[in-house]
Amino acid sequence: MPELRIGVVGVGQRAKMATHAHQPGVARVVSCADPRPRGRAEARQLFGADVAVHHDYRDMLADQLDAVFVLTPDHLHAAPAGFFLAAGIAVFVDKPMAISLEDCDEVLAAAARTGTRLYVGHNLRHLPMLRTIRDLIDDGAVGEVRSVWCRHFVGHGGDYYFKDWHAERSKTTGLLLQKGAHDLDVIHWLAGGYSRRVVALGGLTVYGDNPHRRHPGSEADGSWGDAVVTDWFDLGVWPPSRLRDLNPVIDVEDLSLMVSQLDNGVFTSYQQCHYTPDYWRNYTVIGDAGRLENFGDGIDGDPAHIKVWNSRRSGFRAEADLVVPVAADDGLHGGADAALVAEFLRFAAEGGPTQTSPIAAREAVAAAVAATTSLRSGGTPITVTPVRPEIADHFDRVVCPGQPA
């Protein structure tokens, strides 16, 4: 097959993922765009001196691209995604697809209108630990799934989410969406349905009290400038009250708790905390014939194992009926990013089924928007609006046949 010509929009924190697509002979990153001088310089460092570098992503059309990665901050996903879909260029959008349901639906509609291939980077569907859980469910290890729970301990939440744009509602909607879209997609995937009724509570319980903020305008005057998380991240800073240089605006929650009922009757819960001393995800899947739970998640080289209890009633029993180890992988997101990019390249070139789904990506955003609305209205139950049937049908039949929910 001819070598795919790849573009990258946004050469920031997530751009390293696109290096997996730079495989001369298979695919080559030939064009990048970033309005920041640092981003344009890093494009050449990552992809070579010959890569075309632009200030405006619209100028990339002249580079005869086959596919493009949209890796901008979340609130800037929709415009370039729609632009390249309209041009007939296969699009990879990092998760979340967008920060509003309206933008998600516009991106889906653009893909449906043009027939262009759209892929959303929900990499956790490729995480070995979660693939193993999904296989156990499919093999009937716990019977029919009745409930899925996820607790997300975000140990470095201050450094990752409260020192830059992530801390602002205008750029994320909230961390239930920005960070939680990963897990809500996985919850839906493991449970086999989508959230339709949601209730949530939470608040800004720790970082709102931290007075050590950067002064407003520090980005513009050069004292903060093009800084990214790798510039300021420090594992030795603990507890969170010792953090300095927090974003001038912090109006997202650092603790969130949501429950939902899916369209297939499964009940789920998601809990997210950004100031725990540990950093990992714990999933529990309860069926009518057993329960399974992961310990460790296999990310950043940490080993993991999954325990399944399904033989008899008992009190606390640390010994499980089945223990499945998951090998550690030092790759980005436990090797999931490499697998994700490989699938996108194949999809861009050939089409066919994929592990991810644009409809599911939209449903994760929809659940997160509903949960954030509920949280900020004191726990009011919110009904989640499904995607339009004709759009769902298009992706099922035309663009991504066989993609699982």
Coordinates of all heavy atoms in Angstrom, one line a residue, residues 33-76:
A33 N 0.6 21.7 12.4 CA 0.2 23.1 12.6 C 0.0 23.4 14.1 O -0.5 22.6 14.8 CB -1.2 23.4 11.9
D34 N 0.5 24.5 14.5 CA 0.4 25.0 15.9 C 0.6 26.5 15.9 O 1.6 27.0 15.3 CB 1.4 24.3 16.8 CG 1.0 24.4 18.3 OD1 0.9 25.5 18.8 OD2 0.9 23.3 18.9
P35 N -0.3 27.2 16.6 CA -0.1 28.7 16.6 C 1.0 29.1 17.5 O 1.5 30.3 17.5 CB -1.5 29.2 17.1 CG -2.0 28.1 17.9 CD -1.6 26.8 17.2
R36 N 1.6 28.2 18.4 CA 2.6 28.6 19.3 C 4.0 28.3 18.7 O 4.2 27.3 18.1 CB 2.5 27.7 20.6 CG 1.1 27.9 21.3 CD 1.0 26.8 22.4 NE 1.2 25.5 21.8 CZ 2.1 24.6 22.2 NH1 3.0 25.0 23.2 NH2 2.3 23.4 21.7
P37 N 4.9 29.2 18.9 CA 6.3 29.0 18.4 C 6.9 27.7 19.0 O 7.6 26.9 18.3 CB 7.1 30.2 18.9 CG 6.0 31.3 19.0 CD 4.8 30.6 19.5
R38 N 6.6 27.4 20.3 CA 7.2 26.2 20.9 C 6.6 24.9 20.2 O 7.3 24.0 19.9 CB 6.8 26.1 22.4 CG 7.2 24.8 23.0 CD 7.0 24.9 24.5 NE 7.4 23.6 25.1 CZ 7.6 23.4 26.4 NH1 7.4 24.5 27.3 NH2 7.9 22.3 26.9
G39 N 5.3 25.0 19.9 CA 4.7 23.8 19.2 C 5.3 23.6 17.8 O 5.5 22.4 17.4
R40 N 5.5 24.7 17.1 CA 6.1 24.5 15.8 C 7.6 24.0 15.8 O 8.0 23.2 15.0 CB 6.0 25.9 15.0 CG 4.6 26.3 14.8 CD 4.5 27.4 13.7 NE 5.1 28.7 14.2 CZ 4.5 29.6 15.0 NH1 3.3 29.4 15.3 NH2 5.2 30.7 15.3
A41 N 8.3 24.4 16.8 CA 9.7 23.9 17.0 C 9.7 22.5 17.4 O 10.5 21.7 16.9 CB 10.4 24.8 18.1
E42 N 8.7 22.1 18.3 CA 8.7 20.7 18.7 C 8.2 19.8 17.6 O 8.5 18.6 17.6 CB 7.8 20.5 19.9 CG 8.4 21.2 21.2 CD 7.7 21.0 22.5 OE1 6.5 20.4 22.4 OE2 8.2 21.3 23.5
A43 N 7.4 20.3 16.6 CA 7.0 19.5 15.5 C 8.3 19.0 14.7 O 8.3 17.8 14.4 CB 6.1 20.3 14.5
R44 N 9.2 19.8 14.5 CA 10.5 19.4 13.8 C 11.3 18.4 14.7 O 11.9 17.5 14.2 CB 11.3 20.6 13.5 CG 10.6 21.5 12.4 CD 11.5 22.5 11.8 NE 10.8 23.3 10.7 CZ 10.1 24.4 10.9 NH1 9.9 24.9 12.1 NH2 9.6 24.9 9.8
Q45 N 11.3 18.6 16.0 CA 12.0 17.7 16.9 C 11.4 16.3 16.9 O 12.1 15.3 16.9 CB 12.0 18.3 18.3 CG 12.8 19.5 18.5 CD 12.7 20.2 19.9 OE1 12.1 19.5 20.8 NE2 13.2 21.4 20.0
L46 N 10.1 16.3 16.8 CA 9.4 15.0 16.9 C 9.4 14.3 15.5 O 9.5 13.0 15.5 CB 7.9 15.2 17.4 CG 7.7 15.5 18.8 CD1 6.2 15.9 19.1 CD2 8.1 14.3 19.7
F47 N 9.2 15.0 14.5 CA 8.9 14.4 13.2 C 10.0 14.7 12.1 O 9.8 14.2 11.0 CB 7.5 14.8 12.7 CG 6.4 14.6 13.7 CD1 5.8 15.6 14.3 CD2 6.1 13.3 14.1 CE1 4.8 15.4 15.2 CE2 5.1 13.1 15.0 CZ 4.4 14.1 15.6
G48 N 11.0 15.4 12.4 CA 12.1 15.6 11.5 C 12.1 17.0 10.9 O 11.1 17.7 10.8
A49 N 13.2 17.4 10.4 CA 13.4 18.7 9.8 C 12.6 18.9 8.6 O 12.4 20.1 8.2 CB 14.9 19.0 9.6
D50 N 12.2 17.9 7.9 CA 11.5 18.0 6.6 C 10.0 18.2 6.8 O 9.3 18.4 5.7 CB 11.8 16.8 5.7 CG 13.2 16.7 5.3 OD1 13.9 17.7 5.3 OD2 13.7 15.5 5.0
V51 N 9.5 18.0 7.9 CA 8.0 18.2 8.1 C 7.6 19.6 7.8 O 8.3 20.6 8.2 CB 7.6 17.8 9.5 CG1 8.1 18.7 10.6 CG2 6.1 17.6 9.6
A52 N 6.5 19.8 7.1 CA 6.0 21.1 6.9 C 5.3 21.6 8.1 O 4.5 20.9 8.8 CB 5.0 21.1 5.7
V53 N 5.6 22.9 8.5 CA 5.1 23.4 9.8 C 4.3 24.7 9.5 O 4.8 25.6 8.8 CB 6.2 23.7 10.8 CG1 5.6 24.2 12.0 CG2 7.0 22.4 11.1
H54 N 3.1 24.7 10.0 CA 2.2 25.9 9.7 C 1.7 26.5 11.0 O 1.6 25.8 12.1 CB 1.0 25.4 8.9 CG 1.3 24.7 7.6 ND1 1.6 25.4 6.5 CD2 1.4 23.4 7.4 CE1 1.9 24.5 5.5 NE2 1.8 23.3 6.0
H55 N 1.3 27.8 10.9 CA 0.7 28.5 12.1 C -0.8 28.1 12.1 O -1.4 27.9 13.2 CB 0.9 30.0 11.9 CG 0.3 30.8 13.0 ND1 -1.1 31.1 13.0 CD2 0.8 31.3 14.1 CE1 -1.3 31.8 14.1 NE2 -0.2 31.9 14.8
D56 N -1.4 28.0 10.9 CA -2.9 27.8 10.8 C -3.1 26.4 10.2 O -2.6 26.1 9.1 CB -3.5 28.9 9.9 CG -5.0 28.9 9.9 OD1 -5.6 27.8 9.9 OD2 -5.6 30.0 9.8
Y57 N -4.0 25.6 10.8 CA -4.2 24.3 10.3 C -4.8 24.3 8.9 O -4.7 23.3 8.2 CB -5.1 23.5 11.3 CG -6.5 24.0 11.5 CD1 -7.5 23.7 10.6 CD2 -6.8 24.8 12.6 CE1 -8.8 24.2 10.8 CE2 -8.1 25.2 12.8 CZ -9.1 24.9 11.9 OH -10.4 25.4 12.1
R58 N -5.5 25.3 8.5 CA -6.2 25.4 7.2 C -5.1 25.4 6.1 O -5.4 25.0 5.0 CB -7.1 26.6 7.1 CG -8.3 26.4 8.0 CD -9.1 27.7 8.1 NE -8.4 28.6 9.0 CZ -8.9 29.7 9.5 NH1 -10.2 30.0 9.2 NH2 -8.2 30.5 10.2
D59 N -3.9 25.8 6.4 CA -2.8 25.8 5.4 C -2.3 24.4 5.1 O -1.6 24.2 4.1 CB -1.7 26.7 5.8 CG -2.1 28.2 5.9 OD1 -3.0 28.5 5.1 OD2 -1.5 28.9 6.7
M60 N -2.7 23.4 5.9 CA -2.2 22.0 5.8 C -2.8 21.3 4.6 O -2.3 20.3 4.1 CB -2.5 21.2 7.0 CG -1.7 21.7 8.3 SD -2.3 20.9 9.8 CE -1.8 19.2 9.5
L61 N -3.9 21.9 4.0 CA -4.5 21.2 2.9 C -3.6 21.1 1.7 O -3.7 20.2 0.9 CB -5.8 22.0 2.5 CG -7.1 21.7 3.2 CD1 -8.2 22.3 2.5 CD2 -7.3 20.2 3.3
A62 N -2.7 22.0 1.6 CA -1.7 22.0 0.4 C -0.7 20.9 0.5 O 0.0 20.6 -0.4 CB -1.0 23.4 0.4
D63 N -0.7 20.2 1.7 CA 0.3 19.1 1.9 C -0.2 17.7 1.5 O 0.4 16.7 1.8 CB 0.8 19.1 3.3 CG 1.5 20.4 3.7 OD1 2.1 21.0 2.8 OD2 1.4 20.9 4.8
Q64 N -1.4 17.7 0.8 CA -1.9 16.4 0.3 C -2.0 15.3 1.3 O -1.4 14.2 1.1 CB -1.1 16.0 -0.9 CG -1.1 17.1 -2.0 CD -0.2 16.7 -3.2 OE1 0.8 16.0 -3.1 NE2 -0.6 17.1 -4.4
L65 N -2.8 15.5 2.3 CA -2.8 14.6 3.5 C -3.9 13.5 3.2 O -4.9 13.7 2.6 CB -3.2 15.4 4.7 CG -2.3 16.5 5.2 CD1 -2.8 17.2 6.4 CD2 -0.9 16.0 5.4
D66 N -3.6 12.3 3.8 CA -4.5 11.2 3.8 C -5.3 11.2 5.1 O -6.4 10.7 5.1 CB -3.8 9.9 3.6 CG -3.1 9.8 2.2 OD1 -3.8 10.0 1.2 OD2 -1.8 9.6 2.2
A67 N -4.7 11.6 6.2 CA -5.3 11.5 7.5 C -4.7 12.6 8.4 O -3.5 13.0 8.1 CB -5.1 10.1 8.1
V68 N -5.4 13.0 9.4 CA -4.9 14.0 10.3 C -5.3 13.7 11.8 O -6.3 13.1 12.0 CB -5.5 15.4 9.9 CG1 -7.0 15.4 10.1 CG2 -4.8 16.5 10.7
F69 N -4.3 14.0 12.7 CA -4.6 13.9 14.1 C -4.9 15.2 14.6 O -4.1 16.2 14.5 CB -3.3 13.4 14.8 CG -3.1 11.9 14.7 CD1 -2.4 11.4 13.5 CD2 -3.4 11.0 15.6 CE1 -2.2 10.1 13.3 CE2 -3.1 9.6 15.5 CZ -2.5 9.2 14.3
V70 N -6.1 15.4 15.3 CA -6.4 16.6 16.0 C -6.1 16.5 17.5 O -6.8 15.8 18.2 CB -7.9 17.0 15.8 CG1 -8.3 18.2 16.5 CG2 -8.2 17.1 14.3
L71 N -5.1 17.1 17.9 CA -4.5 16.9 19.3 C -4.5 18.3 20.0 O -3.6 18.5 20.9 CB -3.2 16.3 19.2 CG -3.1 14.9 18.5 CD1 -1.6 14.4 18.4 CD2 -4.0 13.9 19.1
T72 N -5.4 19.2 19.7 CA -5.4 20.5 20.3 C -6.0 20.4 21.7 O -6.6 19.3 22.1 CB -6.3 21.4 19.5 OG1 -7.6 20.8 19.5 CG2 -5.8 21.6 18.1
P73 N -6.0 21.5 22.5 CA -6.9 21.5 23.7 C -8.3 21.2 23.3 O -8.8 21.5 22.2 CB -6.7 22.9 24.2 CG -5.3 23.3 23.8 CD -5.2 22.6 22.4
D74 N -9.0 20.6 24.3 CA -10.4 20.0 24.0 C -11.4 21.0 23.4 O -12.1 20.6 22.5 CB -11.0 19.5 25.3 CG -10.1 18.4 25.9 OD1 -9.2 17.9 25.3 OD2 -10.3 18.0 27.1
H75 N -11.4 22.2 23.8 CA -12.4 23.2 23.3 C -12.1 23.6 21.9 O -12.9 24.2 21.3 CB -12.5 24.4 24.2 CG -11.2 25.2 24.3 ND1 -10.0 24.8 24.8 CD2 -11.0 26.5 23.9 CE1 -9.1 25.7 24.7 NE2 -9.7 26.8 24.1
L76 N -10.9 23.2 21.3 CA -10.6 23.5 20.0 C -10.6 22.3 19.0 O -10.1 22.4 17.9 CB -9.1 24.1 20.0 CG -8.9 25.3 20.8 CD1 -7.5 25.8 20.8 CD2 -9.8 26.5 20.4

